[in-house]
Amino acid sequence: MTTGFFWDERCFWHSGGNYAGLLPVAGLVQPGGGLPDNPETKRRFVNLMRVTGLWEALETQTAPAATSEDLLRIHPSSYLDSFRDASDKGGGELGLRTPFGAGGFEIAALSAGLAKGALFATLRGEVQNAYALSRPPGHHCLPDFPNGFCLLANIAIAIEAARAEALCDRVAVIDWDVHHGNGTEAIYYDDPDTLTISLHQERNYPLDTGDFADRGSGEGTGTNLNIPLPPGTGHTGYLEAFERLVIPALRDFKPDAIVVACGFDAGLVDPLSRMLAGSQTFRAMTELTMQAAADLCDSRLTLVHEGGYSEEHVPFLGHHVMEILSGSAITAADPFQPRFEGQQPSDRFNRYVSQVIAEMAEVLGY
Ligand code: ZN
């Protein structure tokens, strides 16, 4: 079996609005650059795999858009109606930094459909594992409030569609996007059958969510795990967080499927973070997750694209993840790696990060 890669050119046509970086263009803000979530990070990821030949090793395909029924399992009809209406009228903004253009609703539904297609293909055993190159991303989106470039909650939509078809029951979501997965957390905060784990740069975005103390509520108490990490955590710290916190949480939970919210914005040169993760970090996190999936849930593993804003670096990070997922020997040497090695934290800082992680592990009894 091969690795599935779900993508669609139309997701690259989602409009980022008239932004200059994170700022709407107005007054003294000169136009240019666009929203950080521009299509080039994604398009160049595809292009790099085509150039190296890794593309040929993957089962590349598109998927149908998520249906109204799929969307309504997560989002209230009032939000979906407003979104569709504004989209039909040429675009708009319904939340925080989530501009969209004409047809934005259909593109967002397609983005969620790619996540659903990838998850279904994995759960049905049609592929070894799968990656969905979803755009717009989804992990910040609340049921009725889009934010952080996210217009629909892609992963939750996919999981609930799979549950409706009895394809899975207990699902673990590992969110290694550098920002807190506040949308996924909110949707599943009371749900004991969905383990949501978010590793993120502390107090980045959203500023005031993602605290370690937020462990879920009601029947879902204990099935939400936030792992806020200090800026500059780096390769060693990420692996330690995985080994001491993420893997034990997965073992405790016993999922029957694992979904990764795969952002690449923890990368060394990402403009929206400062975490110093390199291609070796993403390789190692992918390997550890694959091993956990093999041990716990018959290797049922699906990755869904989230953030990642360095046009130059994301393609290499993505290529390395796809190499590991597919077991391909075709590699793309990461040109940032030499710089990465020169910028890793000192032993003293690593000890500090280690202590932060140890304190969380102690509370959890790991
Ligand atoms: Zn992010």
Side-chain angles (χ1 to χ4, degrees), residues 6-15 37-39 42-43 62 106-114 133-136:
F6 289 72
W7 76 294
D8 195 297
E9 174 66 26
R10 286 170 292 177
C11 283
F12 303 155
W13 297 357
H14 164 56
S15 167
D37 175 42
N38 76 59
K42 276 63 81 170
R43 191 176 269 133
T62 184
E106 284 73 21
I107 297 175
L110 177 57
S111 180
L114 295 178
L133 187 56
S134 294
R135 178 176 184 267

mmCIF file of all heavy atoms in Angstrom, residues 6-15 37-39 42-43 62 106-114 133-136:
data_model
loop_
_atom_site.group_PDB
_atom_site.id
_atom_site.type_symbol
_atom_site.label_atom_id
_atom_site.label_comp_id
_atom_site.label_asym_id
_atom_site.label_seq_id
_atom_site.Cartn_x
_atom_site.Cartn_y
_atom_site.Cartn_z
ATOM 1 N N PHE A 6 -3.674 13.978 -0.443
ATOM 2 C CA PHE A 6 -4.912 14.614 -0.902
ATOM 3 C C PHE A 6 -4.681 16.111 -1.065
ATOM 4 O O PHE A 6 -4.309 16.788 -0.107
ATOM 5 C CB PHE A 6 -6.043 14.331 0.093
ATOM 6 C CG PHE A 6 -6.494 12.897 0.069
ATOM 7 C CD1 PHE A 6 -5.700 11.890 0.593
ATOM 8 C CD2 PHE A 6 -7.700 12.539 -0.511
ATOM 9 C CE1 PHE A 6 -6.094 10.554 0.553
ATOM 10 C CE2 PHE A 6 -8.117 11.208 -0.554
ATOM 11 C CZ PHE A 6 -7.307 10.224 -0.014
ATOM 12 N N TRP A 7 -4.905 16.609 -2.256
ATOM 13 C CA TRP A 7 -4.675 18.030 -2.515
ATOM 14 C C TRP A 7 -5.586 18.459 -3.655
ATOM 15 O O TRP A 7 -6.166 17.624 -4.360
ATOM 16 C CB TRP A 7 -3.203 18.275 -2.879
ATOM 17 C CG TRP A 7 -2.873 17.860 -4.286
ATOM 18 C CD1 TRP A 7 -2.886 16.591 -4.794
ATOM 19 C CD2 TRP A 7 -2.533 18.722 -5.366
ATOM 20 N NE1 TRP A 7 -2.558 16.604 -6.114
ATOM 21 C CE2 TRP A 7 -2.334 17.910 -6.498
ATOM 22 C CE3 TRP A 7 -2.364 20.106 -5.482
ATOM 23 C CZ2 TRP A 7 -1.987 18.438 -7.737
ATOM 24 C CZ3 TRP A 7 -2.006 20.618 -6.726
ATOM 25 C CH2 TRP A 7 -1.817 19.789 -7.828
ATOM 26 N N ASP A 8 -5.729 19.761 -3.817
ATOM 27 C CA ASP A 8 -6.526 20.279 -4.928
ATOM 28 C C ASP A 8 -6.044 21.680 -5.253
ATOM 29 O O ASP A 8 -5.944 22.525 -4.349
ATOM 30 C CB ASP A 8 -8.024 20.295 -4.549
ATOM 31 C CG ASP A 8 -8.900 20.463 -5.770
ATOM 32 O OD1 ASP A 8 -8.793 21.526 -6.435
ATOM 33 O OD2 ASP A 8 -9.675 19.547 -6.072
ATOM 34 N N GLU A 9 -5.750 21.916 -6.499
ATOM 35 C CA GLU A 9 -5.273 23.244 -6.933
ATOM 36 C C GLU A 9 -6.201 24.358 -6.450
ATOM 37 O O GLU A 9 -5.765 25.456 -6.101
ATOM 38 C CB GLU A 9 -5.160 23.261 -8.467
ATOM 39 C CG GLU A 9 -4.825 24.616 -9.085
ATOM 40 C CD GLU A 9 -3.429 25.145 -8.746
ATOM 41 O OE1 GLU A 9 -2.519 24.351 -8.457
ATOM 42 O OE2 GLU A 9 -3.275 26.393 -8.736
ATOM 43 N N ARG A 10 -7.496 24.093 -6.401
ATOM 44 C CA ARG A 10 -8.446 25.149 -6.035
ATOM 45 C C ARG A 10 -8.231 25.653 -4.601
ATOM 46 O O ARG A 10 -8.563 26.800 -4.291
ATOM 47 C CB ARG A 10 -9.891 24.651 -6.219
ATOM 48 C CG ARG A 10 -10.301 24.571 -7.682
ATOM 49 C CD ARG A 10 -11.620 23.851 -7.841
ATOM 50 N NE ARG A 10 -11.491 22.429 -7.506
ATOM 51 C CZ ARG A 10 -12.494 21.560 -7.490
ATOM 52 N NH1 ARG A 10 -13.712 21.973 -7.781
ATOM 53 N NH2 ARG A 10 -12.281 20.292 -7.183
ATOM 54 N N CYS A 11 -7.664 24.810 -3.734
ATOM 55 C CA CYS A 11 -7.377 25.285 -2.374
ATOM 56 C C CYS A 11 -6.303 26.383 -2.395
ATOM 57 O O CYS A 11 -6.245 27.207 -1.479
ATOM 58 C CB CYS A 11 -6.937 24.128 -1.479
ATOM 59 S SG CYS A 11 -8.318 23.108 -0.952
ATOM 60 N N PHE A 12 -5.476 26.394 -3.441
ATOM 61 C CA PHE A 12 -4.467 27.456 -3.555
ATOM 62 C C PHE A 12 -5.104 28.761 -4.040
ATOM 63 O O PHE A 12 -4.452 29.793 -4.065
ATOM 64 C CB PHE A 12 -3.344 27.036 -4.525
ATOM 65 C CG PHE A 12 -2.649 25.741 -4.161
ATOM 66 C CD1 PHE A 12 -2.016 24.972 -5.131
ATOM 67 C CD2 PHE A 12 -2.621 25.280 -2.858
ATOM 68 C CE1 PHE A 12 -1.375 23.785 -4.809
ATOM 69 C CE2 PHE A 12 -1.975 24.087 -2.524
ATOM 70 C CZ PHE A 12 -1.354 23.346 -3.507
ATOM 71 N N TRP A 13 -6.349 28.698 -4.462
ATOM 72 C CA TRP A 13 -7.011 29.893 -4.984
ATOM 73 C C TRP A 13 -7.814 30.635 -3.914
ATOM 74 O O TRP A 13 -8.437 31.659 -4.200
ATOM 75 C CB TRP A 13 -7.943 29.504 -6.159
ATOM 76 C CG TRP A 13 -7.206 28.917 -7.320
ATOM 77 C CD1 TRP A 13 -5.856 28.759 -7.459
ATOM 78 C CD2 TRP A 13 -7.773 28.401 -8.532
ATOM 79 N NE1 TRP A 13 -5.543 28.169 -8.667
ATOM 80 C CE2 TRP A 13 -6.719 27.937 -9.340
ATOM 81 C CE3 TRP A 13 -9.087 28.265 -9.003
ATOM 82 C CZ2 TRP A 13 -6.922 27.364 -10.592
ATOM 83 C CZ3 TRP A 13 -9.293 27.696 -10.256
ATOM 84 C CH2 TRP A 13 -8.218 27.258 -11.042
ATOM 85 N N HIS A 14 -7.814 30.106 -2.706
ATOM 86 C CA HIS A 14 -8.458 30.808 -1.578
ATOM 87 C C HIS A 14 -7.793 32.170 -1.406
ATOM 88 O O HIS A 14 -6.573 32.265 -1.327
ATOM 89 C CB HIS A 14 -8.318 29.951 -0.316
ATOM 90 C CG HIS A 14 -8.574 30.680 0.963
ATOM 91 N ND1 HIS A 14 -9.744 31.351 1.217
ATOM 92 C CD2 HIS A 14 -7.801 30.841 2.067
ATOM 93 C CE1 HIS A 14 -9.687 31.892 2.423
ATOM 94 N NE2 HIS A 14 -8.516 31.603 2.959
ATOM 95 N N SER A 15 -8.612 33.216 -1.333
ATOM 96 C CA SER A 15 -8.074 34.569 -1.276
ATOM 97 C C SER A 15 -7.697 34.972 0.144
ATOM 98 O O SER A 15 -8.474 34.779 1.075
ATOM 99 C CB SER A 15 -9.117 35.553 -1.813
ATOM 100 O OG SER A 15 -8.730 36.874 -1.493
ATOM 101 N N ASP A 37 -0.855 33.347 5.436
ATOM 102 C CA ASP A 37 -1.363 32.103 4.836
ATOM 103 C C ASP A 37 -1.554 32.291 3.339
ATOM 104 O O ASP A 37 -2.663 32.353 2.836
ATOM 105 C CB ASP A 37 -2.691 31.681 5.485
ATOM 106 C CG ASP A 37 -3.265 30.467 4.758
ATOM 107 O OD1 ASP A 37 -2.472 29.562 4.429
ATOM 108 O OD2 ASP A 37 -4.475 30.458 4.474
ATOM 109 N N ASN A 38 -0.457 32.402 2.623
ATOM 110 C CA ASN A 38 -0.580 32.524 1.173
ATOM 111 C C ASN A 38 -0.330 31.155 0.545
ATOM 112 O O ASN A 38 0.205 30.243 1.179
ATOM 113 C CB ASN A 38 0.359 33.616 0.638
ATOM 114 C CG ASN A 38 1.796 33.168 0.602
ATOM 115 O OD1 ASN A 38 2.136 32.192 -0.058
ATOM 116 N ND2 ASN A 38 2.652 33.851 1.338
ATOM 117 N N PRO A 39 -0.742 30.973 -0.702
ATOM 118 C CA PRO A 39 -0.680 29.636 -1.291
ATOM 119 C C PRO A 39 0.729 29.130 -1.588
ATOM 120 O O PRO A 39 0.928 27.930 -1.758
ATOM 121 C CB PRO A 39 -1.470 29.796 -2.597
ATOM 122 C CG PRO A 39 -1.519 31.247 -2.875
ATOM 123 C CD PRO A 39 -1.430 31.946 -1.557
ATOM 124 N N LYS A 42 2.308 26.124 0.212
ATOM 125 C CA LYS A 42 1.709 24.848 -0.157
ATOM 126 C C LYS A 42 2.094 24.435 -1.586
ATOM 127 O O LYS A 42 2.447 23.297 -1.844
ATOM 128 C CB LYS A 42 0.185 24.947 -0.045
ATOM 129 C CG LYS A 42 -0.383 24.712 1.330
ATOM 130 C CD LYS A 42 0.025 25.706 2.400
ATOM 131 C CE LYS A 42 -0.749 26.991 2.388
ATOM 132 N NZ LYS A 42 -0.469 27.833 3.592
ATOM 133 N N ARG A 43 2.024 25.416 -2.493
ATOM 134 C CA ARG A 43 2.327 25.095 -3.888
ATOM 135 C C ARG A 43 3.783 24.663 -4.050
ATOM 136 O O ARG A 43 4.104 23.727 -4.787
ATOM 137 C CB ARG A 43 2.014 26.321 -4.755
ATOM 138 C CG ARG A 43 2.032 26.040 -6.233
ATOM 139 C CD ARG A 43 1.606 27.278 -7.022
ATOM 140 N NE ARG A 43 0.171 27.301 -7.262
ATOM 141 C CZ ARG A 43 -0.621 28.365 -7.077
ATOM 142 N NH1 ARG A 43 -0.116 29.485 -6.621
ATOM 143 N NH2 ARG A 43 -1.899 28.309 -7.349
ATOM 144 N N THR A 62 -7.576 14.168 -5.352
ATOM 145 C CA THR A 62 -8.402 15.157 -4.689
ATOM 146 C C THR A 62 -9.513 14.404 -3.955
ATOM 147 O O THR A 62 -9.432 13.177 -3.786
ATOM 148 C CB THR A 62 -8.965 16.186 -5.692
ATOM 149 O OG1 THR A 62 -9.688 17.188 -4.965
ATOM 150 C CG2 THR A 62 -9.863 15.548 -6.730
ATOM 151 N N GLU A 106 -16.982 27.541 -0.817
ATOM 152 C CA GLU A 106 -16.778 26.272 -1.530
ATOM 153 C C GLU A 106 -15.340 25.781 -1.366
ATOM 154 O O GLU A 106 -15.101 24.573 -1.241
ATOM 155 C CB GLU A 106 -17.113 26.438 -3.014
ATOM 156 C CG GLU A 106 -18.602 26.486 -3.334
ATOM 157 C CD GLU A 106 -19.276 27.796 -2.930
ATOM 158 O OE1 GLU A 106 -18.559 28.817 -2.767
ATOM 159 O OE2 GLU A 106 -20.512 27.807 -2.756
ATOM 160 N N ILE A 107 -14.380 26.720 -1.375
ATOM 161 C CA ILE A 107 -12.971 26.306 -1.221
ATOM 162 C C ILE A 107 -12.738 25.771 0.195
ATOM 163 O O ILE A 107 -12.054 24.757 0.386
ATOM 164 C CB ILE A 107 -12.014 27.474 -1.538
ATOM 165 C CG1 ILE A 107 -12.171 27.890 -3.004
ATOM 166 C CG2 ILE A 107 -10.569 27.067 -1.262
ATOM 167 C CD1 ILE A 107 -11.354 29.128 -3.400
ATOM 168 N N ALA A 108 -13.322 26.425 1.199
ATOM 169 C CA ALA A 108 -13.159 25.940 2.580
ATOM 170 C C ALA A 108 -13.804 24.557 2.745
ATOM 171 O O ALA A 108 -13.250 23.688 3.430
ATOM 172 C CB ALA A 108 -13.772 26.938 3.559
ATOM 173 N N ALA A 109 -14.973 24.349 2.117
ATOM 174 C CA ALA A 109 -15.618 23.035 2.190
ATOM 175 C C ALA A 109 -14.766 21.973 1.488
ATOM 176 O O ALA A 109 -14.713 20.815 1.915
ATOM 177 C CB ALA A 109 -17.016 23.094 1.575
ATOM 178 N N LEU A 110 -14.075 22.391 0.421
ATOM 179 C CA LEU A 110 -13.171 21.464 -0.270
ATOM 180 C C LEU A 110 -11.972 21.132 0.617
ATOM 181 O O LEU A 110 -11.535 19.972 0.689
ATOM 182 C CB LEU A 110 -12.707 22.090 -1.593
ATOM 183 C CG LEU A 110 -11.705 21.293 -2.416
ATOM 184 C CD1 LEU A 110 -12.233 19.896 -2.770
ATOM 185 C CD2 LEU A 110 -11.347 22.064 -3.698
ATOM 186 N N SER A 111 -11.449 22.146 1.309
ATOM 187 C CA SER A 111 -10.327 21.931 2.220
ATOM 188 C C SER A 111 -10.709 20.906 3.297
ATOM 189 O O SER A 111 -9.941 19.977 3.594
ATOM 190 C CB SER A 111 -9.934 23.270 2.853
ATOM 191 O OG SER A 111 -8.855 23.123 3.731
ATOM 192 N N ALA A 112 -11.909 21.070 3.871
ATOM 193 C CA ALA A 112 -12.393 20.087 4.856
ATOM 194 C C ALA A 112 -12.600 18.728 4.195
ATOM 195 O O ALA A 112 -12.345 17.677 4.802
ATOM 196 C CB ALA A 112 -13.694 20.580 5.489
ATOM 197 N N GLY A 113 -13.037 18.745 2.939
ATOM 198 C CA GLY A 113 -13.244 17.495 2.198
ATOM 199 C C GLY A 113 -11.939 16.730 1.983
ATOM 200 O O GLY A 113 -11.924 15.493 2.001
ATOM 201 N N LEU A 114 -10.838 17.450 1.801
ATOM 202 C CA LEU A 114 -9.540 16.782 1.654
ATOM 203 C C LEU A 114 -9.163 16.063 2.947
ATOM 204 O O LEU A 114 -8.662 14.930 2.930
ATOM 205 C CB LEU A 114 -8.450 17.793 1.284
ATOM 206 C CG LEU A 114 -8.580 18.497 -0.076
ATOM 207 C CD1 LEU A 114 -7.439 19.507 -0.246
ATOM 208 C CD2 LEU A 114 -8.588 17.504 -1.233
ATOM 209 N N LEU A 133 -3.423 18.128 2.161
ATOM 210 C CA LEU A 133 -2.870 19.487 2.032
ATOM 211 C C LEU A 133 -4.037 20.484 2.035
ATOM 212 O O LEU A 133 -4.356 21.116 1.033
ATOM 213 C CB LEU A 133 -2.037 19.601 0.744
ATOM 214 C CG LEU A 133 -1.256 20.904 0.551
ATOM 215 C CD1 LEU A 133 -0.327 21.204 1.718
ATOM 216 C CD2 LEU A 133 -0.469 20.869 -0.748
ATOM 217 N N SER A 134 -4.669 20.591 3.193
ATOM 218 C CA SER A 134 -5.846 21.449 3.323
ATOM 219 C C SER A 134 -5.464 22.929 3.360
ATOM 220 O O SER A 134 -4.494 23.319 4.003
ATOM 221 C CB SER A 134 -6.599 21.094 4.611
ATOM 222 O OG SER A 134 -7.126 19.793 4.525
ATOM 223 N N ARG A 135 -6.207 23.744 2.681
ATOM 224 C CA ARG A 135 -6.098 25.209 2.756
ATOM 225 C C ARG A 135 -7.435 25.794 2.340
ATOM 226 O O ARG A 135 -7.893 25.455 1.262
ATOM 227 C CB ARG A 135 -4.978 25.735 1.857
ATOM 228 C CG ARG A 135 -4.904 27.284 1.896
ATOM 229 C CD ARG A 135 -3.750 27.836 1.082
ATOM 230 N NE ARG A 135 -3.692 29.294 1.246
ATOM 231 C CZ ARG A 135 -4.302 30.159 0.406
ATOM 232 N NH1 ARG A 135 -4.984 29.722 -0.639
ATOM 233 N NH2 ARG A 135 -4.226 31.445 0.614
ATOM 234 N N PRO A 136 -8.071 26.642 3.138
ATOM 235 C CA PRO A 136 -7.618 27.194 4.403
ATOM 236 C C PRO A 136 -7.475 26.127 5.491
ATOM 237 O O PRO A 136 -8.109 25.082 5.430
ATOM 238 C CB PRO A 136 -8.722 28.195 4.773
ATOM 239 C CG PRO A 136 -9.927 27.736 4.032
ATOM 240 C CD PRO A 136 -9.410 27.128 2.772
#
